[in-house]
Amino acid sequence: MIRRSMVLWTILASLFAVAMFLIKHEVQVREARLDALHRDILASQEAIQVLRAEWSYLNQPVRIESLIRRHMDLRPTDTTQLGGYDALPVRLSDASDQTEVAQ
Amino acid sequence: MSGFEHNQLPPRQVDDAGMPTVRIEGATKQAIEVGRNRLLVAGAFFAIAFTLVAVRLVDVAVLSGLNEPSVAREAASSPLKKGRADIVDRNGVLLATSLSVPSLYADPKDVIDAEVSARRLTSVLTHLDPVEVAAKLRAEKRFVWIQRGLTPRQQYEINALGIPGLHFQREERRVYPQGSLASHVVGFAGTDATGLGGIEKQFDATLRDGAEPLALSMDIRVQHILREEVGRQMVAFNGIGGAGVVLNANTGEVVAMVSLPDFDPNAAGVASDDSRFNRASLGVYEMGSTFKIFNTALALEAGTATMTSGYDATKPIRIARFTINDYHAKRRWLSVPEIFQYSSNIGSVKMALDYGAEAQRDFMDKLGFLKPVAVELPERGAPMAPKPWRKISTMTIAFGHGIAVSPLHLVSGVATVVNGGIQWPVTLVKRDPEVRALGRQVLSRKTSVEMRKLLRLVVETGTGRKASADGYLVGGKTGTAEKPGKGGSYARKSLLSSFVSAFPMHDPRYVVLVMIDEPKGNKESHGYATGGWVAAPAVKRIIARSAPLLGIHPFDEESPEIRQVLDIQSPPEKGRKRLASF
């Protein structure tokens, strides 16, 4: 009886030992990976920050304005170019109505 | 228990129940008792120890989990840690950020050939002198800086050269991608990332441990327009400086603020004191005729003048050794709208004398003109007000002399006058549109509505016609102040020309100020350097260019609804005519 339970416990203990070793090993591997990922994220964040700064730098209104002057025909909007729906003349009838009248 | 062996066991006996029992006698029995006791003690010790371990195990694994931060959460938050927080404009455009930049240093012990290395290195860092670099590479030290703050490209190229003895170290550096565009607002930080000016200094502690970017109330597009137009007038009229402000009249948010000349915050150390000086918030000036806005508003509010009453402006006023005269003299009786329209000093002084010194002082106090403006900048100018407030002070303040305030004071006051009489604390930080409880009513709505008409009149037919941007119903007031000279007397030639305006005038949304310091008249202005010639055209262009960005569409200026809001009912007196003036 004692011997049998002894065997059982020994097997269980060694199973647990092996399981613990495996889990610990796995955790170590994952922690190393997590560290690597964190380093990657930090590096990416720094790179993004540099790109954001560069984006803002390249979007300086002075620079964009000079580029537009050089390469495009855009001009500042004139007030006469702006209007609302209210300012549009009333449309008297639909195109289909007109064809009916014509017939 | 030495010598205790199986064959020495005493003979077996059988007890009453028939079970075999062992009877042990004497010294042997005692030895077994001792052994048993020792076993018991040891067993109990281990049992307690294991129980403790088990209890602790349950405690750690199950119970303590609530108090301790979980490993996963801890790990996830750590890479988000950055240096000093960013500063962005109201639309999220980056104005200041912290970058981790590589800096190049050398360990001269490891450098093989200083001359060759220096020559190759300066082929990438072209602004460095090869001789100086070679001297550094020969130094009897283990560490010498070559260049702080490299760009990623420079770092790559230097790495590609493969010169032994050169190393990089990462350093945090404050970068201002928009350069000098918002230099006076954003300010600058030193090499050790401490704020030394502007928002950087004011919010130093917040920026230091903040992760969230700080959003300013500024709109970088409007800022650009303002800076360009103020700069254009400054150059055209050969001024020594200029300032401009665009303020949201209904929230107190500063949408744009410039002071020229300005500086590049990326190289703030080499900027001159003059360029670092913030004329918009730190400089205090006698504003001149723009103060007639407050003079007229107070007279209307106090009831000592109405839109139909008037004053005799035929003769100059003499007091003590001064003579107060009109620049655009009409030499006749003028109604209150005419006094405002033609910027009559004589009429304004008479209006001020009617309401008196005490009312004037109270009103200036209510508008915040007697203390530094409460904006989030370390550079705030303290106004200069007369002490004691004599009769002569009351008279000169009526037309904007004898009191000096900053341009920010002026726009804040004008916003109060036109927005329905509510004074908003001026702010550079983006304000939550829901929070509207900060404003204080300091002027009645009725007076504010009347002032809108008067300001519109100046642009329609008075001294500010050059500010009329089609469709945006601009209203405003010119100001041309003579700057105090060295001897305390006023210098005729050094002027401070300004134009303060609001638009659209039937329901003002923004206040715009342009101020040019010491402009000189040119050919196009026929030699004039007054606010109407110098600052008003800039205001017109600023409004026409920025209104679409600010979400304001043009209005039909002749529509009956708008005419009804802005037209002044003609008084019965014969004196009122729609006369043009310069």
Side-chain angles (χ1 to χ4, degrees):
Chain A
M1 182 65 190
I2 288 174
R3 188 170 295 170
R4 207 184 277 173
S5 69
M6 201 58 186
V7 170
L8 185 74
W9 284 115
T10 314
I11 290 170
L12 264 178
S14 32
L15 273 179
F16 275 118
V18 170
M20 193 148 117
F21 171 77
L22 287 178
I23 288 170
K24 196 173 176 190
H25 182 71
E26 179 71 19
V27 166
Q28 275 177 346
V29 168
R30 282 180 185 234
E31 268 181 353
R33 186 162 155 63
L34 184 68
D35 276 355
L37 283 174
H38 280 171
R39 272 196 304 278
D40 280 1
I41 290 170
L42 265 179
S44 299
Q45 278 182 336
E46 276 179 16
I48 289 169
Q49 202 58 24
V50 170
L51 290 174
R52 264 166 42 89
E54 191 167 352
W55 177 246
S56 177
Y57 176 75
L58 293 175
N59 275 301
Q60 283 185 359
V62 181
R63 181 174 171 274
I64 294 201
E65 196 175 308
S66 74
L67 284 178
I68 284 172
R69 270 186 222 287
R70 205 180 323 148
H71 299 295
M72 298 174 95
D73 295 330
L74 293 175
R75 269 174 293 115
T77 323
D78 195 79
T79 47
T80 54
Q81 292 172 283
L82 299 171
Y85 283 117
D86 311 341
L88 291 174
V90 183
R91 194 170 178 179
L92 291 171
S93 56
D94 274 350
S96 55
D97 293 344
Q98 282 182 346
T99 48
E100 271 173 31
V101 170
Q103 280 166 358
Chain B
M1 280 194 259
S2 57
F4 188 85
E5 286 167 20
H6 280 283
N7 53 3
Q8 282 179 328
L9 273 171
R12 279 188 165 194
Q13 286 182 351
V14 177
D15 68 358
D16 302 344
M19 290 291 282
T21 56
V22 178
R23 198 164 292 233
I24 305 157
E25 305 286 334
T28 323
K29 181 187 175 184
Q30 212 167 7
I32 285 178
E33 280 299 316
V34 169
R36 184 178 287 162
N37 284 345
R38 287 181 181 170
L39 256 176
L40 213 71
V41 169
F45 174 76
F46 277 103
I48 290 168
F50 275 111
T51 315
L52 280 177
V53 169
V55 166
R56 178 70 186 136
L57 200 68
V58 171
D59 182 42
V60 166
V62 184
L63 302 175
S64 306
L66 300 172
N67 304 330
E68 284 175 20
S70 78
V71 179
R73 209 184 308 142
E74 180 89 324
S77 66
S78 66
L80 291 170
K81 248 186 138 42
K82 284 195 290 183
R84 204 173 163 83
D86 293 348
I87 300 175
V88 297
D89 88 337
R90 66 182 304 118
N91 302 313
V93 177
L94 203 59
L95 301 178
T97 187
S98 289
L99 295 184
S100 164
V101 293
S103 288
L104 180 67
Y105 71 92
D107 181 350
K109 277 255 160 63
D110 291 347
V111 176
I112 296 163
D113 186 332
E115 264 73 37
V116 174
S117 301
R119 214 176 317 123
R120 294 181 62 203
L121 186 58
T122 47
S123 70
V124 175
L125 301 173
T126 45
H127 59 283
L128 294 179
D129 178 28
V131 182
E132 275 176 34
V133 174
K136 276 184 182 174
L137 293 180
R138 267 197 305 268
E140 288 295 315
K141 284 187 271 183
R142 297 299 310 258
F143 184 96
V144 54
W145 284 118
I146 305 292
Q147 173 75 45
R148 311 279 290 266
L150 298 170
T151 64
R153 185 185 299 272
Q154 284 173 327
Q155 184 188 22
Y156 173 80
E157 286 174 352
I158 293 166
N159 250 338
L161 291 174
I163 303 169
L166 294 184
H167 306 280
F168 299 104
Q169 185 172 319
R170 298 199 79 79
E171 289 186 292
E172 187 170 296
R173 190 171 189 197
R174 203 66 172 157
V175 174
Y176 303 92
Q178 293 289 338
S180 50
L181 186 51
S183 49
H184 288 102
V185 175
V186 175
F188 58 98
T191 39
D192 54 348
T194 12
L196 296 177
I199 289 284
E200 288 271 37
K201 186 175 181 186
Q202 186 75 16
F203 289 98
D204 195 35
T206 327
L207 290 168
R208 232 173 244 271
D209 48 43
E212 286 294 301
L214 176 67
L216 300 186
S217 59
M218 301 216 326
D219 185 322
I220 210 71
R221 304 165 300 175
V222 181
Q223 175 80 6
H224 164 67
I225 292 167
L226 184 68
R227 179 167 175 266
E228 194 175 72
E229 296 297 350
V230 172
R232 189 200 304 258
Q233 294 308 91
M234 198 178 114
V235 170
F237 291 92
N238 200 15
I240 60 164
V245 182
V246 177
L247 183 83
N248 185 329
N250 298 313
T251 62
E253 288 173 294
V254 176
V255 180
M257 180 167 91
V258 297
S259 168
L260 292 176
D262 53 14
F263 61 95
D264 183 358
N266 291 305
V270 297
S272 69
D273 285 349
D274 182 46
S275 65
R276 293 239 292 258
F277 183 80
N278 189 344
R279 289 179 151 83
S281 70
L282 184 57
V284 293
Y285 308 91
E286 291 179 292
M287 288 295 176
S289 303
T290 46
F291 255 64
K292 286 171 191 158
I293 297 171
F294 310 116
N295 186 52
T296 313
L298 176 53
L300 294 172
E301 180 81 355
T304 52
T306 66
M307 293 291 271
T308 49
S309 66
Y311 291 91
D312 178 22
T314 47
K315 284 195 284 284
I317 299 172
R318 282 175 219 287
I319 176 161
R321 60 190 172 90
F322 302 101
T323 308
I324 295 165
N325 213 334
D326 278 359
Y327 189 72
H328 314 275
K330 291 277 172 274
R331 305 255 175 264
R332 61 176 169 87
W333 184 93
L334 295 172
S335 71
V336 168
E338 280 175 323
I339 289 170
F340 196 71
Q341 183 184 5
Y342 303 136
S343 201
S344 162
N345 293 338
I346 301 168
S348 299
V349 168
K350 289 189 172 172
M351 276 159 82
L353 290 175
D354 273 1
Y355 60 69
E358 201 175 319
Q360 188 182 48
R361 197 186 178 289
D362 281 356
F363 190 56
M364 295 291 151
D365 192 24
K366 268 198 237 167
L367 289 173
F369 286 180
L370 303 183
K371 54 183 185 294
V373 70
V375 74
E376 300 90 346
L377 283 179
E379 300 90 4
R380 287 173 301 184
M384 288 190 278
K387 247 182 217 166
W389 205 287
R390 287 185 229 273
K391 187 182 174 194
I392 178 85
S393 314
T394 309
M395 292 166 80
T396 57
I397 288 169
F399 55 93
H401 282 77
I403 187 169
V405 298
S406 70
L408 265 188
H409 278 106
L410 182 65
V411 285
S412 154
V414 171
T416 305
V417 169
V418 298
N419 72 6
I422 300 160
Q423 206 229 347
W424 293 96
V426 176
T427 182
L428 277 167
V429 179
K430 193 174 177 179
R431 205 166 257 170
D432 184 355
E434 302 300 314
V435 181
R436 307 223 60 183
L438 292 160
R440 262 184 327 128
Q441 188 90 35
V442 299
L443 197 70
S444 71
R445 195 170 168 80
K446 177 176 163 288
T447 307
S448 176
V449 168
E450 285 172 344
M451 286 309 297
R452 291 177 189 173
K453 295 178 182 180
L454 293 178
L455 288 161
R456 178 70 187 142
L457 183 69
V458 170
V459 174
E460 271 193 310
T461 57
T463 51
R465 278 171 300 152
K466 288 187 188 306
S468 181
D470 277 350
Y472 292 114
L473 295 161
V474 182
K477 182 78 191 76
T478 54
T480 312
E482 284 158 9
K483 285 173 75 175
K486 291 216 170 68
S489 62
Y490 286 90
R492 281 246 149 219
K493 282 285 163 251
S494 58
L495 300 174
L496 188 80
S497 300
S498 56
F499 191 83
V500 63
S501 67
F503 76 98
M505 217 55 225
H506 65 291
D507 180 21
R509 301 256 315 267
Y510 291 93
V511 176
V512 180
L513 166 75
V514 169
M515 185 185 95
I516 307 292
D517 199 352
E518 295 191 21
K520 286 94 189 165
N522 62 18
K523 212 182 235 171
E524 275 168 54
S525 74
H526 312 291
Y528 284 106
T530 57
W533 277 98
V534 175
V539 168
K540 173 185 177 170
R541 290 195 297 266
I542 290 162
I543 291 175
R545 287 175 68 185
S546 60
L549 298 174
L550 295 168
I552 297 172
H553 61 84
F555 298 89
D556 177 10
E557 300 191 342
E558 297 305 322
S559 77
E561 301 89 58
I562 285 170
R563 290 255 67 111
Q564 200 198 341
V565 177
L566 289 176
D567 268 2
I568 295 167
Q569 263 61 52
S570 291
E573 283 87 353
K574 59 185 180 343
R576 172 143 172 80
K577 270 182 282 177
R578 279 212 155 179
L579 257 180
S581 163
F582 294 98

